[in-house]
């Protein structure tokens, strides 16, 4: 141990300020440390929300990793990195930083290279660990250093195309890479597909387990049997093929160890130690229990994958007193179910997010019209394209940020062939507690430039249903974006209306300033227009733009005849977003009037306690926007004839 300041105390966790302290503990102290870590995770996440189940499942694994390896010299690459809480607690981030998990100024819910030297690689999207770790291991080989690189992947990471691409390249790239397959059988929902079935067979192989168990018993029963058993265990690790057909991983050239009890620290340490000495890439298959230590999380793994604040005793969500409008995701899920009931050609597709997207409602009502393809966004989009060629009407429910992964499929497969696929992009805008990996701030920019794409955002949940209805009946690709969480609270009509594509809606007449707003910005625009009218005597109109593409050019150009200032408001980066579309349209028509674009700057926005706090920090609070509009108005040249 390098650090002599460690004084073991009754409370082990509070004395740990780095991995050296973890190594200094005796094996007998480790169960107590594991318990303290679980208590801390439950205490903190019950207040802040967070990834409860994934972390409770890897407490022992994380302790063992930090006892066997030396970070930051050795490097861990956690897939998604949502299970990195224990790693944070053991690398100097316990105490105040962890207590403010996912809050402004506190630890992020994911790993960031900028947060700690122990975070070798950042992530928030799934499936990146193996590929990144392979790159790091190969760089090590090129540079001639000898640190260990360990990729920690969940079982669902192996449903990602990019993980399989990396697996295909491991032996061609390095001789030394350690892969931990943390198998808890769950993605967010139950893991799906042939790979999940295969892993299940591998971990419960009755032949292997029975022979192994009988032999272990046999050796232990002999005089000196403990020693013989140890030799047997070593031999077993090295000759597993004797008992069972070689695993898929061995066919890819990796050595396979397992399955191992992921809650047995001694067993984990032994196997990690073995892996360290190994001169071939190696995969250790570790079986863990998602949510271990919290009964509610074990019983409801999906809810506790990523939970909002909850009561630690009962597991129930902490209710806010404010009346809660229906979530956009549920409105979408119920509306799609209604449409799909009337037309069996309508199907819903998710990439491992049935409840997050609201498609769980379709899954429950019409399972044959629902597809969960795993964490495979590229496939989800291509699969939809294929379905669409044969008259099926696929609706892909997906988070804005995860759709980024399927960009080539959007361009090359859906839009180029002008196929009628509807994309419902949830979490468009900020995902405050999650931070930059999860903010949906780029979709307008990356979609607007694609020919045939129609891109829209509803002002409320009723308009979402109208848009969904309109898109399903549209002959080409269409994208609807909407934010995380509750809608405005409006009633949803019995029969949806068709919204003509490219038609905006004037919500407030005005003659001097026109605010063109998208989605949740519409409500704020109406309030600001009222306020500016009352307090400043300026006549402000408000348009619910509805479409970023095609833009309502006719209305826009008509308004520029009498209003010298257009303000655009979007929950999106301003670079290439909705405001840019307005400027481009004006420029193409040679109508260069003033435009004030309100949106997120060209920066990665960090995590924060709430959207309001983040908006405040980026000068996007209602007061700051009002001030910007007035300042711009004061600088705007007013035409002599300003009245329509
Ligand atoms: C590209 C992408 N799609 C979807 C998600 C949402 N997501 C976060 S974690 C997760 C499941 C991860 O399961 P697994 O890797 O087995 O880890 P576990 O949580 O079970 O430990 C999913 C689908 C994501 N983070 N990235």
């Amino acid at each position: 141990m390098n650090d002599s300041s460690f004084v073991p105390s009754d409370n082990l966790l509070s004395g740990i300020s780095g991995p050296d302290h973890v190594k200094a503990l005796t094996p007998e102290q480790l169960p107590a440390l594991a318990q303290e870590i679980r208590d801390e995770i439950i205490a903190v996440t019950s207040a802040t929300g967070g990834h409860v189940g994934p972390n409770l499942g890897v407490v022992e694994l994380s302790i063992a990793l930090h006892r066997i390896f030396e970070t930051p010299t050795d490097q861990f690459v956690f897939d998604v990195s949502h299970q990195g809480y224990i790693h944070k607690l053991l690398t100097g981030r316990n105490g105040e930083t962890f207590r403010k998990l996912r809050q402004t100024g506190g630890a992020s819910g994911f790993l960031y290279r900028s947060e700690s030297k122990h975070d070798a690689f950042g992530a928030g999207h799934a499936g990146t660990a193996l590929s990144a770790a392979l790159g790091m291991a190969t760089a090590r080989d090129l540079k001639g250093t000898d640190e260990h690189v360990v990729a920690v992947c969940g079982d669902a990471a192996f449903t990602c195309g990019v993980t399989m691409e990396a697996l295909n390249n491991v032996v061609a790239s390095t001789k030394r890479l350690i892969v931990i397959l943390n198998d808890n059988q769950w993605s967010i929902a139950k893991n799906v597909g042939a790979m999940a079935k295969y892993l299940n067979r591998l971990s419960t192989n009755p032949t292997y387990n029975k022979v192994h168990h009988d032999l272990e018993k046999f050796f232990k029963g002999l005089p000196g049997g403990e020693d013989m058993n140890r030799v047997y265990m070593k031999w077993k690790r090295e000759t597993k093929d004797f008992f069972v057909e070689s695993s898929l991983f061995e066919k890819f050239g990796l050595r396979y160890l397992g399955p191992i009890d992921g809650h047995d620290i001694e067993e984990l340490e032994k196997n990690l130690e073995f892996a360290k000495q190994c001169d071939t890439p190696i995969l250790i298959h570790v079986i863990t229990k998602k949510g271990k230590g919290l009964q509610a999380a074990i019983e409801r793994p999906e809810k506790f994958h990523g939970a909002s604040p909850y009561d630690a005793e009962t597991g129930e969500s902490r209710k806010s007193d404010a009346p809660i409008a229906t979530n956009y995701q549920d409105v979408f899920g119920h509306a799609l179910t209604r449409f799909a009931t009337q037309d069996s050609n309508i199907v819903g597709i998710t990439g491992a997010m049935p409840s997050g997207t609201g498609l769980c409602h379709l899954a429950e009502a019409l399972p044959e019209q629902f597809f969960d393809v795993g964490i495979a966004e590229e496939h989800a989009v291509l699969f939809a394209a294929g379905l669409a060629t044969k008259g099926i009407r696929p609706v892909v429910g997906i988070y804005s940020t995860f759709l980024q992964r399927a960009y080539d499929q959007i361009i090359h497969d859906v839009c180029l062939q002008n196929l009628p696929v509807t994309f419902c992009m949830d979490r468009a805008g900020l995902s405050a507690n999650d931070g930059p990996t999860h903010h949906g701030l780029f979709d307008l920019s990356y979609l607007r430039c694609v020919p045939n794409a129609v891109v829209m955002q509803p002002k409320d949940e009723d308009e979402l249903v109208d848009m969904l209805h309109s898109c399903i009946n549209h002959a080409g690709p269409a994208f609807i974006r909407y934010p995380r969480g509750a809608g405005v609270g409006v009633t949803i009509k019995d029969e949806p209306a068709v919204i003509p594509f490219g038609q905006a809606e004037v919500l407030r007449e005005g003659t001097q300033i026109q605010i063109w707003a998208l989605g949740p910005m519409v409500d704020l625009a109406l309030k600001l227009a009222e306020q500016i009218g009352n307090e400043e005597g300026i006549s402000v109109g408000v348009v619910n733009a509805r479409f970023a593409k095609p833009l309502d050019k006719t209305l826009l150009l008509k308004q520029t005849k009498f209003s010298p200032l257009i303000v655009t408001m979007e929950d999106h980066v301003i670079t290439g977003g909705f405001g840019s579309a307005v400027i481009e349209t004006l420029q193409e028509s040679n109508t260069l009037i003033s435009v004030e674009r309100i949106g997120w700057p060209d920066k990665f926005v960090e995590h924060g306690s709430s959207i309001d706090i983040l908006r405040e920090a980026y000068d996007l609070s209602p007061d700051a926007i009002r001030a910007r509009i007035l300042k711009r108005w004061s600088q705007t040249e007013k035409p002599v004839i300003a009245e329509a």
Side-chain angles (χ1 to χ4, degrees), residues 264-390:
D264 180 338
I265 298 182
E266 197 187 335
E267 179 75 358
L268 285 165
E269 286 189 14
K270 263 195 297 202
N271 282 280
L272 291 173
E273 198 58 71
F274 176 81
K276 235 171 138 175
Q277 318 304 332
C278 209
D279 56 3
T280 51
I282 183 166
L283 180 138
I284 308 182
H285 188 179
V286 172
I287 308 296
T288 59
K289 184 90 188 151
K290 205 162 179 171
K292 186 176 167 64
L294 181 65
Q295 197 50 32
I298 291 175
E299 284 164 11
R300 282 176 286 170
E302 193 166 356
K303 173 182 157 83
F304 279 90
H305 172 87
S308 52
Y310 59 95
D311 182 317
E313 294 296 315
T314 63
E316 292 308 315
S317 300
R318 287 185 203 277
K319 299 265 183 315
S320 122
D321 292 338
I324 297 172
T326 316
N327 284 333
Y328 277 104
Q329 69 204 48
D330 291 323
V331 170
F332 158 66
H334 287 302
L336 183 63
T337 305
R338 180 152 58 104
F339 300 150
T341 307
Q342 292 153 6
D343 179 352
S344 60
N345 281 321
I346 297 174
V347 301
I349 301 165
T350 177
M353 311 292 289
S355 50
T357 57
L359 280 169
C360 51
H361 303 299
L362 179 69
E364 207 177 293
L366 302 167
E368 292 81 27
Q369 285 164 255
F370 165 78
F371 299 90
D372 179 353
V373 299
I375 313 174
E377 288 80 6
E378 302 101 307
H379 169 62
V381 175
L382 256 171
F383 177 61
L387 287 164
T389 62
K390 290 193 172 277

Side-chain angles (χ1 to χ4, degrees), residues 12 20 97 105 115 167 193 198 211 247 261 283 303 389 397 474 496 529 576 584 600 609 625:
L12 298 166
D20 285 344
T97 311
E115 193 180 284
L167 190 62
Y198 171 72
V211 174
S247 72
D261 176 357
L283 180 138
K303 173 182 157 83
T389 62
H474 172 60
E584 286 163 20
W600 294 92
S609 304
I625 295 175

Side-chain angles (χ1 to χ4, degrees), residues 12 87 105 159 204 222 299 301 314 386 425 451 464 501-502 513 521 543 556 579:
L12 298 166
H87 166 74
T159 65
T204 54
L222 295 176
E299 284 164 11
T314 63
M425 301 181 290
L464 167 61
F501 283 2
I513 301 174
M521 295 294 103
V543 175
L556 182 67

Side-chain angles (χ1 to χ4, degrees), residues 60-82:
E60 288 81 8
L61 175 61
S62 307
I63 293 173
L65 281 167
H66 274 293
R67 282 171 65 82
I68 298 300
F69 296 95
E70 296 282 345
T71 63
T73 307
D74 294 330
Q75 299 184 309
F76 302 152
V77 185
F78 287 93
D79 204 70
V80 193
S81 86
H82 62 314

Side-chain angles (χ1 to χ4, degrees), residues 175-207:
K175 285 194 161 55
R176 279 181 55 222
L177 177 71
I178 299 169
V179 184
I180 309 289
L181 162 54
N182 168 34
D183 187 355
N184 56 27
Q185 300 191 356
W186 287 81
S187 182
I188 291 180
K190 191 85 180 160
N191 201 9
V192 296
M195 182 57 101
K197 288 206 178 94
Y198 171 72
L199 291 178
N200 192 256
R201 270 205 316 278
L202 196 58
S203 59
T204 54
N205 187 312
T207 321

